[in-house]
Amino acid sequence: MMEMKPYWIILGGYGQDGGFGDYSEPVWDEEPLRRPDGTLIWFANETMADRFAEELSRREEKAFREAGYGGYLTGEFPYEYRAFKVWPVEGKSADDETGLAESLPLKDDYDDERNDE
């Protein structure tokens, strides 16, 4: 059986003002970045994907600032990019597995001091 390795795709999004001028995570696009010919841009190397996303984000921010956008407490943020790890599909789809969510163990069992009182 062939080993399944992750790959990285690039998503873009606009930052948000979290209130009081605080920067919040961007709201990412639903579709990954594609070349002008429509083919998916993906990377087998995480470092290369991160560098690509950072370079593209720098270009966007430079154009954004040069156009006079942004500034102190404006709530305006440039479009930015980030690499996201994706695992190839394996096994069957969970579309028809009713009750699957209820059968999975929770990430945290929440068994701490608060529950011992």
Side-chain angles (χ1 to χ4, degrees), residues 13-17 23 55-81:
Y14 283 102
Q16 304 294 305
D17 188 339
Y23 174 74
E55 180 181 339
L56 205 46
S57 291
R58 278 193 299 274
R59 286 186 53 222
E60 290 280 358
E61 182 169 9
K62 183 175 187 279
F64 176 83
R65 301 286 178 213
E66 287 175 354
Y69 291 101
Y72 186 66
L73 299 178
T74 64
E76 298 173 330
F77 299 97
Y79 197 76
E80 59 189 277
Y81 299 88

mmCIF file of all heavy atoms in Angstrom, residues 13-17 23 55-81:
data_model
loop_
_atom_site.group_PDB
_atom_site.id
_atom_site.type_symbol
_atom_site.label_atom_id
_atom_site.label_comp_id
_atom_site.label_asym_id
_atom_site.label_seq_id
_atom_site.Cartn_x
_atom_site.Cartn_y
_atom_site.Cartn_z
ATOM 1 N N GLY A 13 -7.381 35.160 2.493
ATOM 2 C CA GLY A 13 -8.489 35.715 3.247
ATOM 3 C C GLY A 13 -8.206 37.123 3.705
ATOM 4 O O GLY A 13 -7.074 37.605 3.660
ATOM 5 N N TYR A 14 -9.261 37.776 4.139
ATOM 6 C CA TYR A 14 -9.151 39.130 4.676
ATOM 7 C C TYR A 14 -9.157 39.084 6.191
ATOM 8 O O TYR A 14 -9.961 38.381 6.800
ATOM 9 C CB TYR A 14 -10.332 40.001 4.219
ATOM 10 C CG TYR A 14 -10.201 40.471 2.805
ATOM 11 C CD1 TYR A 14 -10.897 39.870 1.782
ATOM 12 C CD2 TYR A 14 -9.357 41.533 2.487
ATOM 13 C CE1 TYR A 14 -10.780 40.309 0.468
ATOM 14 C CE2 TYR A 14 -9.225 41.973 1.183
ATOM 15 C CZ TYR A 14 -9.940 41.361 0.186
ATOM 16 O OH TYR A 14 -9.810 41.790 -1.100
ATOM 17 N N GLY A 15 -8.257 39.861 6.789
ATOM 18 C CA GLY A 15 -8.231 39.987 8.235
ATOM 19 C C GLY A 15 -9.466 40.709 8.735
ATOM 20 O O GLY A 15 -10.175 41.373 7.973
ATOM 21 N N GLN A 16 -9.712 40.564 10.012
ATOM 22 C CA GLN A 16 -10.884 41.160 10.634
ATOM 23 C C GLN A 16 -10.456 42.006 11.828
ATOM 24 O O GLN A 16 -9.447 41.727 12.461
ATOM 25 C CB GLN A 16 -11.843 40.064 11.119
ATOM 26 C CG GLN A 16 -12.267 39.100 10.039
ATOM 27 C CD GLN A 16 -13.115 39.771 8.980
ATOM 28 O OE1 GLN A 16 -14.120 40.384 9.290
ATOM 29 N NE2 GLN A 16 -12.703 39.659 7.735
ATOM 30 N N ASP A 17 -11.248 42.994 12.142
ATOM 31 C CA ASP A 17 -11.009 43.797 13.329
ATOM 32 C C ASP A 17 -11.751 43.119 14.474
ATOM 33 O O ASP A 17 -12.968 42.963 14.433
ATOM 34 C CB ASP A 17 -11.539 45.218 13.118
ATOM 35 C CG ASP A 17 -11.158 46.148 14.246
ATOM 36 O OD1 ASP A 17 -10.854 45.655 15.349
ATOM 37 O OD2 ASP A 17 -11.175 47.360 14.042
ATOM 38 N N TYR A 23 -6.423 42.769 16.098
ATOM 39 C CA TYR A 23 -6.442 42.004 14.860
ATOM 40 C C TYR A 23 -6.916 40.585 15.166
ATOM 41 O O TYR A 23 -6.446 39.953 16.096
ATOM 42 C CB TYR A 23 -5.044 41.978 14.251
ATOM 43 C CG TYR A 23 -4.936 41.094 13.049
ATOM 44 C CD1 TYR A 23 -5.485 41.490 11.838
ATOM 45 C CD2 TYR A 23 -4.324 39.867 13.126
ATOM 46 C CE1 TYR A 23 -5.402 40.679 10.722
ATOM 47 C CE2 TYR A 23 -4.229 39.056 12.014
ATOM 48 C CZ TYR A 23 -4.778 39.467 10.818
ATOM 49 O OH TYR A 23 -4.702 38.658 9.723
ATOM 50 N N GLU A 55 5.450 35.302 0.893
ATOM 51 C CA GLU A 55 5.839 36.191 -0.206
ATOM 52 C C GLU A 55 4.617 36.840 -0.852
ATOM 53 O O GLU A 55 4.588 38.048 -1.101
ATOM 54 C CB GLU A 55 6.628 35.418 -1.262
ATOM 55 C CG GLU A 55 7.070 36.273 -2.424
ATOM 56 C CD GLU A 55 7.825 35.482 -3.484
ATOM 57 O OE1 GLU A 55 8.348 34.397 -3.184
ATOM 58 O OE2 GLU A 55 7.883 35.970 -4.627
ATOM 59 N N LEU A 56 3.605 36.048 -1.096
ATOM 60 C CA LEU A 56 2.387 36.579 -1.698
ATOM 61 C C LEU A 56 1.690 37.561 -0.744
ATOM 62 O O LEU A 56 1.202 38.607 -1.168
ATOM 63 C CB LEU A 56 1.455 35.418 -2.057
ATOM 64 C CG LEU A 56 0.455 35.628 -3.165
ATOM 65 C CD1 LEU A 56 1.047 36.281 -4.397
ATOM 66 C CD2 LEU A 56 -0.203 34.297 -3.520
ATOM 67 N N SER A 57 1.689 37.250 0.546
ATOM 68 C CA SER A 57 1.100 38.156 1.547
ATOM 69 C C SER A 57 1.844 39.478 1.596
ATOM 70 O O SER A 57 1.231 40.546 1.705
ATOM 71 C CB SER A 57 1.101 37.504 2.935
ATOM 72 O OG SER A 57 0.199 36.440 2.986
ATOM 73 N N ARG A 58 3.177 39.424 1.511
ATOM 74 C CA ARG A 58 3.976 40.666 1.502
ATOM 75 C C ARG A 58 3.631 41.524 0.289
ATOM 76 O O ARG A 58 3.511 42.744 0.396
ATOM 77 C CB ARG A 58 5.471 40.344 1.527
ATOM 78 C CG ARG A 58 6.018 40.053 2.895
ATOM 79 C CD ARG A 58 7.540 40.041 2.919
ATOM 80 N NE ARG A 58 8.130 39.028 2.061
ATOM 81 C CZ ARG A 58 8.348 37.774 2.410
ATOM 82 N NH1 ARG A 58 8.018 37.371 3.614
ATOM 83 N NH2 ARG A 58 8.897 36.922 1.564
ATOM 84 N N ARG A 59 3.482 40.894 -0.875
ATOM 85 C CA ARG A 59 3.125 41.636 -2.088
ATOM 86 C C ARG A 59 1.762 42.299 -1.924
ATOM 87 O O ARG A 59 1.575 43.459 -2.311
ATOM 88 C CB ARG A 59 3.109 40.700 -3.295
ATOM 89 C CG ARG A 59 4.476 40.289 -3.772
ATOM 90 C CD ARG A 59 4.428 39.472 -5.059
ATOM 91 N NE ARG A 59 3.664 40.150 -6.085
ATOM 92 C CZ ARG A 59 2.797 39.534 -6.906
ATOM 93 N NH1 ARG A 59 2.579 38.244 -6.829
ATOM 94 N NH2 ARG A 59 2.144 40.214 -7.825
ATOM 95 N N GLU A 60 0.798 41.553 -1.379
ATOM 96 C CA GLU A 60 -0.548 42.107 -1.158
ATOM 97 C C GLU A 60 -0.493 43.282 -0.191
ATOM 98 O O GLU A 60 -1.110 44.321 -0.425
ATOM 99 C CB GLU A 60 -1.497 41.034 -0.602
ATOM 100 C CG GLU A 60 -1.882 39.962 -1.571
ATOM 101 C CD GLU A 60 -2.989 40.366 -2.544
ATOM 102 O OE1 GLU A 60 -3.521 41.490 -2.468
ATOM 103 O OE2 GLU A 60 -3.312 39.535 -3.397
ATOM 104 N N GLU A 61 0.254 43.118 0.910
ATOM 105 C CA GLU A 61 0.314 44.201 1.895
ATOM 106 C C GLU A 61 0.987 45.439 1.323
ATOM 107 O O GLU A 61 0.546 46.563 1.571
ATOM 108 C CB GLU A 61 1.042 43.751 3.161
ATOM 109 C CG GLU A 61 1.049 44.853 4.197
ATOM 110 C CD GLU A 61 1.505 44.421 5.567
ATOM 111 O OE1 GLU A 61 1.995 43.293 5.727
ATOM 112 O OE2 GLU A 61 1.371 45.243 6.494
ATOM 113 N N LYS A 62 2.038 45.243 0.545
ATOM 114 C CA LYS A 62 2.735 46.386 -0.074
ATOM 115 C C LYS A 62 1.777 47.154 -0.982
ATOM 116 O O LYS A 62 1.681 48.386 -0.898
ATOM 117 C CB LYS A 62 3.941 45.884 -0.867
ATOM 118 C CG LYS A 62 4.781 46.973 -1.485
ATOM 119 C CD LYS A 62 6.026 46.368 -2.155
ATOM 120 C CE LYS A 62 6.972 47.411 -2.646
ATOM 121 N NZ LYS A 62 6.653 48.001 -3.908
ATOM 122 N N ALA A 63 1.054 46.457 -1.843
ATOM 123 C CA ALA A 63 0.104 47.116 -2.744
ATOM 124 C C ALA A 63 -1.010 47.792 -1.951
ATOM 125 O O ALA A 63 -1.438 48.905 -2.277
ATOM 126 C CB ALA A 63 -0.483 46.098 -3.721
ATOM 127 N N PHE A 64 -1.465 47.160 -0.886
ATOM 128 C CA PHE A 64 -2.511 47.684 -0.010
ATOM 129 C C PHE A 64 -2.061 49.013 0.619
ATOM 130 O O PHE A 64 -2.775 50.014 0.577
ATOM 131 C CB PHE A 64 -2.790 46.622 1.058
ATOM 132 C CG PHE A 64 -3.777 46.998 2.112
ATOM 133 C CD1 PHE A 64 -5.141 46.865 1.891
ATOM 134 C CD2 PHE A 64 -3.353 47.418 3.365
ATOM 135 C CE1 PHE A 64 -6.061 47.163 2.886
ATOM 136 C CE2 PHE A 64 -4.268 47.725 4.360
ATOM 137 C CZ PHE A 64 -5.620 47.600 4.119
ATOM 138 N N ARG A 65 -0.856 49.010 1.184
ATOM 139 C CA ARG A 65 -0.326 50.220 1.839
ATOM 140 C C ARG A 65 -0.050 51.324 0.818
ATOM 141 O O ARG A 65 -0.347 52.493 1.073
ATOM 142 C CB ARG A 65 0.946 49.895 2.614
ATOM 143 C CG ARG A 65 0.790 48.854 3.685
ATOM 144 C CD ARG A 65 0.075 49.356 4.889
ATOM 145 N NE ARG A 65 -0.076 48.253 5.846
ATOM 146 C CZ ARG A 65 -1.107 48.126 6.646
ATOM 147 N NH1 ARG A 65 -2.082 49.012 6.642
ATOM 148 N NH2 ARG A 65 -1.181 47.114 7.472
ATOM 149 N N GLU A 66 0.517 50.957 -0.323
ATOM 150 C CA GLU A 66 0.824 51.964 -1.345
ATOM 151 C C GLU A 66 -0.438 52.604 -1.907
ATOM 152 O O GLU A 66 -0.407 53.750 -2.371
ATOM 153 C CB GLU A 66 1.652 51.338 -2.472
ATOM 154 C CG GLU A 66 3.079 51.064 -2.057
ATOM 155 C CD GLU A 66 3.898 50.334 -3.110
ATOM 156 O OE1 GLU A 66 3.337 49.924 -4.152
ATOM 157 O OE2 GLU A 66 5.112 50.156 -2.888
ATOM 158 N N ALA A 67 -1.546 51.885 -1.844
ATOM 159 C CA ALA A 67 -2.823 52.436 -2.315
ATOM 160 C C ALA A 67 -3.489 53.307 -1.250
ATOM 161 O O ALA A 67 -4.548 53.882 -1.484
ATOM 162 C CB ALA A 67 -3.757 51.304 -2.731
ATOM 163 N N GLY A 68 -2.857 53.419 -0.074
ATOM 164 C CA GLY A 68 -3.364 54.294 0.972
ATOM 165 C C GLY A 68 -4.345 53.656 1.932
ATOM 166 O O GLY A 68 -4.985 54.350 2.718
ATOM 167 N N TYR A 69 -4.454 52.346 1.906
ATOM 168 C CA TYR A 69 -5.369 51.665 2.830
ATOM 169 C C TYR A 69 -4.677 51.341 4.134
ATOM 170 O O TYR A 69 -3.468 51.358 4.245
ATOM 171 C CB TYR A 69 -5.891 50.366 2.197
ATOM 172 C CG TYR A 69 -6.822 50.617 1.050
ATOM 173 C CD1 TYR A 69 -6.369 50.502 -0.258
ATOM 174 C CD2 TYR A 69 -8.152 50.967 1.264
ATOM 175 C CE1 TYR A 69 -7.222 50.733 -1.327
ATOM 176 C CE2 TYR A 69 -9.005 51.195 0.201
ATOM 177 C CZ TYR A 69 -8.535 51.069 -1.087
ATOM 178 O OH TYR A 69 -9.375 51.298 -2.136
ATOM 179 N N GLY A 70 -5.495 51.001 5.144
ATOM 180 C CA GLY A 70 -4.964 50.629 6.445
ATOM 181 C C GLY A 70 -4.703 51.856 7.286
ATOM 182 O O GLY A 70 -5.129 52.960 6.979
ATOM 183 N N GLY A 71 -3.994 51.658 8.346
ATOM 184 C CA GLY A 71 -3.698 52.756 9.240
ATOM 185 C C GLY A 71 -4.228 52.458 10.629
ATOM 186 O O GLY A 71 -4.945 51.482 10.857
ATOM 187 N N TYR A 72 -3.895 53.314 11.534
ATOM 188 C CA TYR A 72 -4.219 53.114 12.939
ATOM 189 C C TYR A 72 -5.730 53.026 13.159
ATOM 190 O O TYR A 72 -6.475 53.952 12.838
ATOM 191 C CB TYR A 72 -3.609 54.261 13.759
ATOM 192 C CG TYR A 72 -3.748 54.083 15.240
ATOM 193 C CD1 TYR A 72 -3.088 53.042 15.887
ATOM 194 C CD2 TYR A 72 -4.533 54.938 15.983
ATOM 195 C CE1 TYR A 72 -3.203 52.879 17.249
ATOM 196 C CE2 TYR A 72 -4.655 54.785 17.352
ATOM 197 C CZ TYR A 72 -3.992 53.739 17.989
ATOM 198 O OH TYR A 72 -4.124 53.571 19.334
ATOM 199 N N LEU A 73 -6.166 51.911 13.691
ATOM 200 C CA LEU A 73 -7.566 51.660 14.085
ATOM 201 C C LEU A 73 -8.577 51.843 12.951
ATOM 202 O O LEU A 73 -9.722 52.220 13.181
ATOM 203 C CB LEU A 73 -7.961 52.539 15.272
ATOM 204 C CG LEU A 73 -7.166 52.335 16.556
ATOM 205 C CD1 LEU A 73 -7.654 53.308 17.628
ATOM 206 C CD2 LEU A 73 -7.268 50.915 17.062
ATOM 207 N N THR A 74 -8.180 51.562 11.725
ATOM 208 C CA THR A 74 -9.122 51.700 10.617
ATOM 209 C C THR A 74 -9.999 50.466 10.447
ATOM 210 O O THR A 74 -11.061 50.532 9.842
ATOM 211 C CB THR A 74 -8.385 51.915 9.278
ATOM 212 O OG1 THR A 74 -7.608 50.751 8.986
ATOM 213 C CG2 THR A 74 -7.518 53.154 9.321
ATOM 214 N N GLY A 75 -9.517 49.326 10.945
ATOM 215 C CA GLY A 75 -10.250 48.080 10.739
ATOM 216 C C GLY A 75 -10.040 47.508 9.349
ATOM 217 O O GLY A 75 -10.691 46.544 8.965
ATOM 218 N N GLU A 76 -9.131 48.111 8.588
ATOM 219 C CA GLU A 76 -8.826 47.628 7.235
ATOM 220 C C GLU A 76 -7.576 46.753 7.283
ATOM 221 O O GLU A 76 -6.584 47.114 7.905
ATOM 222 C CB GLU A 76 -8.565 48.801 6.293
ATOM 223 C CG GLU A 76 -9.734 49.724 6.125
ATOM 224 C CD GLU A 76 -9.361 50.949 5.321
ATOM 225 O OE1 GLU A 76 -8.193 51.397 5.357
ATOM 226 O OE2 GLU A 76 -10.261 51.468 4.651
ATOM 227 N N PHE A 77 -7.664 45.609 6.620
ATOM 228 C CA PHE A 77 -6.536 44.695 6.574
ATOM 229 C C PHE A 77 -6.320 44.226 5.142
ATOM 230 O O PHE A 77 -7.282 44.044 4.401
ATOM 231 C CB PHE A 77 -6.776 43.481 7.475
ATOM 232 C CG PHE A 77 -6.941 43.856 8.919
ATOM 233 C CD1 PHE A 77 -8.201 44.000 9.470
ATOM 234 C CD2 PHE A 77 -5.833 44.075 9.717
ATOM 235 C CE1 PHE A 77 -8.358 44.354 10.792
ATOM 236 C CE2 PHE A 77 -5.987 44.428 11.043
ATOM 237 C CZ PHE A 77 -7.247 44.573 11.592
ATOM 238 N N PRO A 78 -5.070 43.995 4.754
ATOM 239 C CA PRO A 78 -4.813 43.502 3.404
ATOM 240 C C PRO A 78 -5.210 42.041 3.273
ATOM 241 O O PRO A 78 -5.318 41.315 4.265
ATOM 242 C CB PRO A 78 -3.305 43.661 3.256
ATOM 243 C CG PRO A 78 -2.775 43.565 4.644
ATOM 244 C CD PRO A 78 -3.828 44.183 5.514
ATOM 245 N N TYR A 79 -5.416 41.629 2.047
ATOM 246 C CA TYR A 79 -5.649 40.224 1.755
ATOM 247 C C TYR A 79 -4.363 39.487 2.103
ATOM 248 O O TYR A 79 -3.270 39.991 1.892
ATOM 249 C CB TYR A 79 -5.960 40.079 0.258
ATOM 250 C CG TYR A 79 -6.606 38.782 -0.121
ATOM 251 C CD1 TYR A 79 -7.954 38.560 0.141
ATOM 252 C CD2 TYR A 79 -5.880 37.785 -0.751
ATOM 253 C CE1 TYR A 79 -8.558 37.363 -0.224
ATOM 254 C CE2 TYR A 79 -6.481 36.598 -1.114
ATOM 255 C CZ TYR A 79 -7.814 36.385 -0.845
ATOM 256 O OH TYR A 79 -8.413 35.218 -1.198
ATOM 257 N N GLU A 80 -4.470 38.312 2.686
ATOM 258 C CA GLU A 80 -3.276 37.557 3.047
ATOM 259 C C GLU A 80 -3.461 36.081 2.751
ATOM 260 O O GLU A 80 -4.561 35.626 2.469
ATOM 261 C CB GLU A 80 -2.906 37.781 4.506
ATOM 262 C CG GLU A 80 -3.991 37.394 5.486
ATOM 263 C CD GLU A 80 -3.651 37.841 6.904
ATOM 264 O OE1 GLU A 80 -2.912 37.106 7.577
ATOM 265 O OE2 GLU A 80 -4.126 38.900 7.315
ATOM 266 N N TYR A 81 -2.357 35.356 2.830
ATOM 267 C CA TYR A 81 -2.340 33.944 2.442
ATOM 268 C C TYR A 81 -1.700 33.106 3.538
ATOM 269 O O TYR A 81 -0.834 33.570 4.276
ATOM 270 C CB TYR A 81 -1.538 33.756 1.152
ATOM 271 C CG TYR A 81 -2.118 34.517 -0.005
ATOM 272 C CD1 TYR A 81 -1.749 35.836 -0.250
ATOM 273 C CD2 TYR A 81 -3.056 33.935 -0.847
ATOM 274 C CE1 TYR A 81 -2.288 36.555 -1.300
ATOM 275 C CE2 TYR A 81 -3.605 34.641 -1.906
ATOM 276 C CZ TYR A 81 -3.218 35.949 -2.126
ATOM 277 O OH TYR A 81 -3.765 36.654 -3.164
#
